[in-house]
Amino acid sequence: MAITVDPEPVWDQPIDVPEKWIETVDENVAAKLPEGSQVAQNDVGKAMVSGEYESMKALHNTLPELTPEPIAWGTFAQADNVHFFLCEFVDMTDDLPDVEASMKMLAELHAKSSSPNGQYGFHVPTLQGTVPQYTEWTDSWEDFFTKSIRTVFENEERSQGPDEEVQYLCKETLSKVIPRLLRPLETGGRRIEPRLIHGDIWDGNTSTNVATNLPVIYDATCIYAHNELELAPLRPVRHRMGRQYVKAYFRHFPISPPEEDQDDRNALYCLRWDMNCSTLYPGNLRYRKMCVEVMKNLTQKYADGYEGWAKAKGEQIVPGKRS
């Protein structure tokens, strides 16, 4: 039986798995893994498949027609460092999903979802690629995102090595840009709610269901977040799913006020995504260079930070919430 294993882990290494390995997933589920099932090794692999299972379950419970049904995740009986995720088979096209239909359903997913405790985070670790993302429950979106992207910055430095300019720009982003762009979402009478997001919407994780002709999304890494974080991977010009999808999304889910900040919030959210991409490719500085330019632009534009904006708007200055 040829399936996909994850030795590093990645999702595209073929290996023969003996039938005798495939026994009971748990006391209630017996699984036979067909060709193409996702398999991963070691502790990172275990976190990948468990996080994907819980992510897909949360998505499927919210809007079942948008995702394959997750069935199980588990560990091979006779290879305790090899783990798998099993879901419903969906026959998909090779085309991108329809712009309007896919964004209407994504907006519906966000509108129907709500955090189980009113906080930002997720109940199990989820990974971006092979890197765990921050998922601890947090009251404030600014606080959650700060902790999340700080983790990303630290991971990227460990992967690519220290750089004085990058360190300075990361510090300025944390102290000036994030408060300026995110604190107004939750002050001055404005508010947002934690929404369930897929976490990795791009060309490679979405398609069209042949049987229903509806969009389908998969390979999720969920958190409860500001819904606009979902749109971060749609910003890079290297992706075929781009700005037309973002525009369509906002026809079905309103832009969070202050509306004039939306594009720069998207740039900030995409920074988190691209810095994580840099982490995944040690020695390849392509993503780091792109991130440096984004941080330069944002730190120059928002050098006065949140306090400068609040004074200019005549709003009361509100301290950031920390948990």
Side-chain angles (χ1 to χ4, degrees):
M1 175 184 293
I3 66 175
T4 303
V5 77
D6 204 350
E8 301 219 344
V10 291
W11 290 106
D12 57 359
Q13 300 298 317
I15 163 181
D16 288 329
V17 176
E19 287 280 356
K20 65 182 181 180
W21 283 10
I22 306 168
E23 295 184 3
T24 306
V25 179
D26 60 31
E27 57 197 11
N28 299 314
V29 181
K32 289 284 186 178
L33 299 187
E35 184 173 344
S37 298
Q38 290 183 332
V39 180
Q41 288 182 305
N42 305 319
D43 290 342
V44 171
K46 186 175 184 179
M48 288 173 70
V49 296
S50 63
E52 179 166 359
Y53 173 78
E54 292 295 333
S55 294
M56 294 298 291
K57 184 170 71 170
L59 294 171
H60 192 76
N61 287 345
T62 305
L63 196 64
E65 58 267 37
L66 187 57
T67 70
E69 181 179 5
I71 297 171
W73 76 273
T75 300
F76 286 109
Q78 297 187 24
D80 60 9
N81 70 327
V82 181
H83 318 283
F84 65 87
F85 165 68
L86 183 65
C87 70
E88 170 193 14
F89 173 77
V90 174
D91 191 13
M92 298 179 290
T93 71
D94 294 328
D95 303 321
L96 294 179
D98 178 78
V99 174
E100 200 68 29
S102 60
M103 293 299 100
K104 181 179 180 180
M105 293 186 74
L106 194 63
E108 183 180 358
L109 169 73
H110 296 159
K112 286 185 173 181
S113 66
S114 60
S115 170
N117 55 17
Q119 294 179 306
Y120 299 93
F122 203 61
H123 63 283
V124 299
T126 55
L127 283 73
Q128 294 179 305
T130 58
V131 182
Q133 64 178 339
Y134 184 82
T135 55
E136 297 296 322
W137 293 114
T138 309
D139 290 328
S140 157
W141 173 239
E142 179 191 345
D143 190 20
F144 179 89
F145 187 82
T146 298
K147 291 172 179 175
S148 175
I149 201 170
R150 181 186 289 119
T151 299
V152 172
F153 288 160
E154 291 168 352
N155 289 337
E156 199 274 347
E157 182 173 271
R158 281 193 292 269
S159 174
Q160 301 290 14
D163 179 277
E164 288 187 7
E165 182 182 34
V166 173
Q167 290 172 340
Y168 171 77
L169 290 170
C170 288
K171 181 180 178 181
E172 290 294 290
T173 299
L174 290 168
S175 64
K176 299 284 185 65
V177 177
I178 292 175
R180 164 59 187 89
L181 290 175
L182 302 191
R183 197 170 305 169
L185 291 168
E186 301 176 289
T187 58
R190 296 170 292 268
R191 64 187 299 268
I192 56 174
E193 296 180 17
R195 305 288 185 174
L196 180 67
I197 68 166
H198 172 283
D200 197 13
I201 293 288
W202 71 289
D203 317 351
N205 291 336
T206 183
S207 186
T208 300
N209 187 320
V210 170
T212 65
N213 202 36
L214 292 174
V216 59
I217 60 176
Y218 45 92
D219 206 8
T221 175
C222 286
I223 51 174
Y224 288 92
H226 180 207
N227 61 290
E228 290 180 15
L229 184 66
E230 188 83 277
L231 308 177
L234 304 180
R235 188 178 187 88
V237 295
R238 63 185 181 273
H239 292 165
R240 292 188 297 153
M241 290 181 69
R243 294 296 182 95
Q244 72 274 32
Y245 285 84
V246 175
K247 290 179 180 179
Y249 176 84
F250 287 126
R251 288 194 284 270
H252 301 283
F253 202 111
I255 296 173
S256 299
E259 290 85 350
E260 63 271 20
D261 288 347
Q262 183 275 318
D263 189 62
D264 285 338
R265 286 196 301 262
N266 185 248
L268 175 63
Y269 293 163
C270 187
L271 172 65
R272 170 184 173 271
W273 203 79
D274 275 341
M275 284 292 273
N276 189 73
C277 290
S278 182
T279 302
L280 294 171
Y281 301 100
N284 183 344
L285 298 181
R286 171 193 175 198
Y287 292 106
R288 173 178 274 192
K289 291 176 181 177
M290 291 191 295
C291 292
V292 164
E293 292 306 310
V294 171
M295 288 192 286
K296 283 181 178 179
N297 291 335
L298 291 175
T299 55
Q300 290 170 7
K301 185 173 183 178
Y302 297 118
D304 292 335
Y306 162 75
E307 289 77 10
W309 174 86
K311 288 178 181 178
K313 290 287 185 179
E315 292 200 6
Q316 179 182 357
I317 294 177
V318 179
K321 297 179 181 179
R322 296 290 182 267
S323 57

